[in-house]
Amino acid sequence: MPARSSRSRPREFRSGGAALRYTVTGEGDPILLVHGLSGSGRWWRRNVPALAASHQVYVLDLAAYGYGLPPHHRSPGVRGAAALIAALIDHLGLTRVTLVGHSMGGHISIHVAALRPGQVENLVLACASGLLAGPRARMALHLP
């Protein structure tokens, strides 16, 4: 396991044609930090040291948000990102997961918790975006 005081090099996970990057810090029950729209894992940099004192912290960077993809690639969307994170949880064999999602990351985290109720023990939503009831492009036009 990674040392408490050091942050691992970014790792990449791919499943179903989608990808995300993540780093791991600390030891203990896992916390997955999911950033919001147009954000990145760097948003959590001030939170990681305190959380890593007692947990293994996974800072996720969603493709097309936290790190770039070639222009012809598209974001997997909310449900696709949730499926990818659920696959990562399975791949890593994580249990007793705490998911922390900010903004769109909260929206994604709700779907992850629904996909993996046996593995997600806690769900923390920080200014989570609402569940969209229409086409994303049309809904985005109504954002401030």
Side-chain angles (χ1 to χ4, degrees):
M1 285 195 171
R4 286 180 190 260
S5 61
S6 66
R7 188 168 174 181
S8 70
R9 290 184 170 195
R11 303 171 190 187
E12 186 170 277
F13 175 73
R14 291 185 171 274
S15 177
L20 62 78
R21 288 190 185 152
Y22 66 97
T23 57
V24 184
T25 307
E27 297 177 10
D29 287 339
I31 295 179
L32 276 68
L33 302 176
V34 186
H35 65 79
L37 181 67
S38 73
S40 75
R42 290 183 300 267
W43 284 12
W44 303 104
R45 70 186 175 278
R46 294 179 189 219
N47 305 102
V48 170
L51 294 171
S54 58
H55 293 84
Q56 188 169 47
V57 181
Y58 293 79
V59 179
L60 307 184
D61 254 329
L62 302 172
Y65 298 102
Y67 72 97
L69 288 174
H72 62 280
H73 282 85
R74 292 180 33 190
S75 160
V78 169
R79 290 181 190 269
L84 184 61
I85 294 169
L88 175 67
I89 289 171
D90 293 344
H91 174 76
L92 297 173
L94 300 179
T95 59
R96 301 185 60 175
V97 172
T98 295
L99 275 174
V100 180
H102 174 259
S103 188
M104 180 191 70
H107 187 162
I108 292 168
S109 295
I110 290 169
H111 289 285
V112 175
L115 291 169
R116 296 296 181 272
Q119 289 132 296
V120 175
E121 187 169 282
N122 301 295
L123 178 61
V124 179
L125 305 176
C127 299
S129 65
L131 300 175
L132 302 177
R136 286 183 294 218
R138 186 179 309 151
M139 299 304 290
L141 293 174
H142 299 289
L143 294 174

